[in-house]
């Protein structure tokens, strides 16, 4: 075989190898673009049990069967498609519990959207039930436009559609309500 044929064959083999390399690189880039542009979360966590502490004191405990992390998106959020349970501890280590069938936390606005069988049970035995509830963490404000039921520790009952309240329910505004209110009469009998 002459030197010219060897150079031609070597050139053809090199050309085929380079073509295959660029072809593979193109497919790899296409796969990467599909992954980046897809709706897939950047991470999925299962069996979550996150404990939040402040100066050694337990502040909150978040439990969920599954969390999907979409914080790599333009409008970042974390989704809890199988529900969540949040235990919040006050300064006296008294626990309030929040549960829901679904939850989503929007990182950019610090808004939490809880949906499906939302129940808040406070340390002082108040129980709130709603189909949806929003919590604005920036201003510590809870609100909903959906039907809700609140059972107070003294036996009072409030059924309404929509309310706004600070997170400890010290400032509560109901939009429409029907219920039984317990009023204590401190006036001495005459």
């Amino acid at each position: 075989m002459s030197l010219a044929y060897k150079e031609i064959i070597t050139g053809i083999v090199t050309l085929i190898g380079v073509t295959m390399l660029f072809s593979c690189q193109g497919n790899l880039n296409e796969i990467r673009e599909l992954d980046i542009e897809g709706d897939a979360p950047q991470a999925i966590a299962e069996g979550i049990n996150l404990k939040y502490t402040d100066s050694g004191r337990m502040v909150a405990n978040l439990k969920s069967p599954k969390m999907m992390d979409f914080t790599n998106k333009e409008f970042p959020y974390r989704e809890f498609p199988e529900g969540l349970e949040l235990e919040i501890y006050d300064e006296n280590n008294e626990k309030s519990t929040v549960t829901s069938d679904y939850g989503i936390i929007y990182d950019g606005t610090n808004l939490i959207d809880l949906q499906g069988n939302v129940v808040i049970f406070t340390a002082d035995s108040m129980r709130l039930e709603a189909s949806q509830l929003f919590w604005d963490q920036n201003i510590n404000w809870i609100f909903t436009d959906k039907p809700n039921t609140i059972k107070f520790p003294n036996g009072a009952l409030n059924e309404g559609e929509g309310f706004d309240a600070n997170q400890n329910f010290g400032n509560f505004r109901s939009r429409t309500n029907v219920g039984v209110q317990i009023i204590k009469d401190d006036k001495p009998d005459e």
Side-chain angles (χ1 to χ4, degrees), residues 136-168:
D136 187 333
Q137 296 179 88
N138 289 334
I139 59 174
N140 296 322
W141 201 253
I142 300 170
F143 59 95
T144 186
D145 288 328
K146 305 287 184 184
N148 57 82
T149 302
I150 303 172
K151 296 174 185 172
F152 294 93
N154 66 358
L157 175 69
N158 185 49
E159 293 180 341
E161 189 154 333
F163 74 85
D164 294 275
N166 61 351
Q167 70 182 22
N168 66 2

Side-chain angles (χ1 to χ4, degrees), residues 2-169:
S2 72
L3 188 59
Y5 284 122
K6 284 184 180 179
E7 289 176 3
I8 291 172
I9 291 174
T10 304
I12 291 172
V13 169
T14 304
L15 182 61
I16 291 172
V18 169
T19 303
M20 288 176 62
L21 180 65
F22 282 116
S23 175
C24 291
Q25 184 65 35
N27 289 341
L28 181 60
N29 286 337
E30 288 175 20
I31 290 169
R32 285 181 182 155
E33 286 176 13
L34 288 174
D35 187 37
I36 291 171
E37 293 175 8
D39 289 335
Q42 75 172 356
I44 297 174
E46 294 184 352
I48 294 175
N49 188 357
L50 298 174
K51 297 178 188 302
Y52 299 95
T53 60
D54 183 11
S55 303
R57 183 181 69 80
M58 175 79 82
V59 176
N61 187 16
L62 173 65
K63 300 174 189 173
S64 179
K66 185 176 192 177
M67 180 189 79
M68 299 170 71
D69 185 347
F70 293 93
T71 55
N72 59 330
K73 303 297 180 192
E74 186 175 334
F75 191 72
Y77 62 95
R78 285 184 212 100
E79 183 177 18
F80 300 86
E82 297 176 16
L84 60 87
E85 178 182 342
L86 177 63
E87 298 170 339
I88 304 167
Y89 297 89
D90 65 12
E91 300 80 28
N92 300 323
N93 206 31
E94 293 182 356
K95 178 177 73 171
S96 295
T97 305
V98 179
T99 58
S100 71
D101 293 342
Y102 173 85
I104 190 164
I105 301 171
Y106 297 101
D107 286 8
T109 59
N110 276 331
L111 185 68
I112 298 175
D113 178 3
L114 302 172
Q115 299 175 22
N117 297 312
V118 181
V119 176
I120 297 177
F121 190 74
T122 64
D124 66 352
S125 299
M126 184 192 76
R127 181 180 177 93
L128 179 137
E129 299 174 6
S131 60
Q132 184 174 25
L133 194 70
F134 295 97
W135 178 16
D136 187 333
Q137 296 179 88
N138 289 334
I139 59 174
N140 296 322
W141 201 253
I142 300 170
F143 59 95
T144 186
D145 288 328
K146 305 287 184 184
N148 57 82
T149 302
I150 303 172
K151 296 174 185 172
F152 294 93
N154 66 358
L157 175 69
N158 185 49
E159 293 180 341
E161 189 154 333
F163 74 85
D164 294 275
N166 61 351
Q167 70 182 22
N168 66 2
F169 292 92

